[in-house]
Amino acid sequence: MFKNLKELNLIFKSSGINNYNFLIFLILINSLFELISLGVLIPLIASLFDSSLSDKIFNFISSIEFLGINKFAEINKNNFFTLFISFILFIYILKYIINLYYNFYLSQIKILYEKKIARQIMENFVNTSNFYFFDIAKSKILHDITSRLSTVSNSLINTANLFVESIIFFIIIIFSVASLGLNSVYYLLILIFLSTLFFGFFKKKAIEWSMERGEGGNMRTKNILDILEGIREIIIFGSSKFLLKEFELSNDKFLNPLKKILFWNTVPKIILEFGFIIFILSYFLYAIHNSLDYQQILISTTMIVIILSRALPSINRILYNYSQLKYSTEPINSIKSIIKLTDSKNSDIKKVNFLKEINIKNINFFYTKKIELFNNLNLLIKKDKKVGIIGETGTGKSTLIDIISGLKNPQNGEVLIDGQTINSIGVKNWIENISYVSQRVYLFNTSLRNNITFVGDNEKIDEDKFKTAVKFVNLKDLILEKKEKEFFLVGEFGKNVSGGQRQKIGIARAIYSNRPIIILDESTNSLDEKAEEYILENINKLKNKTVIFITHNKNSLKSFDYVHKLDKNSIIKI
């Protein structure tokens, strides 16, 4: 449990959450009033059955001179107990107000912390210089943010409640010894022993179920993404049977551990209540066989019932919150690892100017030890030149672009920018010089204008740059035919535009960004011949731009300064 708390604290600190002072204060105040409300009730109920006890209470009050409390003894006994009952009512009202505020505050900071952690994770993704997270399945990341994160923030409530109930239970033990003697503690010790046995059994199981549920959640999210992304192929090829079976298996793996944890969370309550009945009945038998005074039996039983009515729920809540913390092991570890992996921000924000050349020297790159992609590869790209790269599928064209961009690191060799390595100048600083257009341009579910400029529709943009970008790829007709003009929504995953229009928007995005290097990765293969020729003509007219164009079509590179071919783990000039 303490390991989980330590990991939880690291997650909070990484998300800028450092101060728990007010929460600790509320935990203590809430615990205090829980105990006071229990303490004031016992003497009142006991005095109703024993008149001598009420006299003792009355005499005790009359002996207290602090704050003039003894003056309450000057009134008659009935009025005194009326005031005493009113005081108890006030304590309970205050207790419930504090308890309501405590739960309200916990709910508030649970949501606040979840927002902060989610924001931090997303901020890390877009700002990190550690691009190893590219190798993490999107389904896992999606499950982290949509499911695991809620479990992690719930752990804060579990932790707070665990501390509250532990404090209450500890003081109840002390109170029981003072009120009922050591014999009363035996039952509580038996409860503690049974709870310890439950902890020991449940600890490993909770972690095991947590890991199983996490794995099942990753698989289920992956299946959902596969079905949603490939719905056309599924319908056309009739492949739903296999995918639905996969989803059913992963859904079972995700939900079955929850079924087990929900059941085991109910077990302590049943055991404790059964133990309570056994204890009360045993006490009655003991009292009858030992001819105890019935008034004393009634008083003792009442006090025991009052104490256990708070002690039993306290033990049950301790067990529940403990089990929830153990069950949160996998989500806590997963969220911590994703934050740690992406928490490598580039603190050096100096502007890097690309002045002369990109020099790729003697690089080796392996996907695995057995699969070598590049062996001693060398390539020189001069500033403001247009360079074409061709090659068969699987020769590493896109990987080479990732290495040039700094998104991937070769196992050997180096990439020099004007004589400096990418790592020395900062990956994020270097990327600021690059515009990248992939084969399948990603479009956000926003307006066409926003997808080109990355500026909100209510914000100002550079209209001249926007018009130039639109003209560069000939998107004018598409805009004119839409009622909303450039503000029309391209739809989820760009469903409202064709494949060719998608690529035009991607190239327009690169032109609008006006960066010195433009990388095109099979970025015209969805265009018709006329549209491709138009864009290639405009690319060849670009001044003060370094263009790196990857394609299967050598004819598209006729006017380029250099053309290179990837072949047999290396690259040659043709």
Side-chain angles (χ1 to χ4, degrees), residues 15-32:
S15 305
I17 303 166
N18 298 307
N19 196 334
Y20 312 110
N21 292 339
F22 188 63
L23 176 60
I24 294 170
F25 171 75
L26 279 182
I27 288 173
L28 295 175
I29 290 294
N30 191 50
S31 303
L32 177 65

Side-chain angles (χ1 to χ4, degrees), residues 359-364 376-379 410 412-416:
N359 191 2
I360 301 169
K361 297 180 66 176
N362 304 318
I363 66 168
N364 295 336
N376 201 33
L377 185 144
N378 292 274
L379 178 64
N412 301 106
E414 55 188 0
V415 180
L416 301 176

Side-chain angles (χ1 to χ4, degrees), residues 105-121:
Y105 181 76
L106 275 186
S107 301
Q108 289 287 98
I109 62 170
K110 185 262 183 193
I111 298 301
L112 176 64
Y113 285 11
E114 189 169 337
K115 285 180 180 178
K116 283 190 173 185
I117 297 168
R119 168 74 185 184
Q120 190 63 53
I121 291 172

Side-chain angles (χ1 to χ4, degrees), residues 43 79 105 120 125 127 147 177 356 371 377 425 456 480 489 509 514 519 553 566 574:
N79 289 338
Y105 181 76
Q120 190 63 53
F125 277 135
N127 290 325
S147 180
V177 174
K356 296 180 181 179
I371 303 177
L377 185 144
I425 63 177
L480 290 176
L489 295 178
R509 184 186 288 167
N514 197 30
I519 297 176
N553 186 4
L566 278 168
I574 59 175

Side-chain angles (χ1 to χ4, degrees), residues 245-259:
K245 184 179 179 181
E246 287 282 302
F247 175 75
E248 187 177 2
L249 289 173
S250 62
N251 203 34
D252 284 345
K253 193 166 187 177
F254 176 67
L255 293 175
N256 282 342
L258 183 61
K259 176 177 65 178

Side-chain angles (χ1 to χ4, degrees), residues 294-308:
Y294 284 106
Q295 187 179 39
Q296 184 61 39
I297 293 172
L298 192 58
I299 294 172
S300 298
T301 303
T302 303
M303 293 178 69
I304 289 169
V305 169
I306 292 171
I307 291 172
L308 291 182

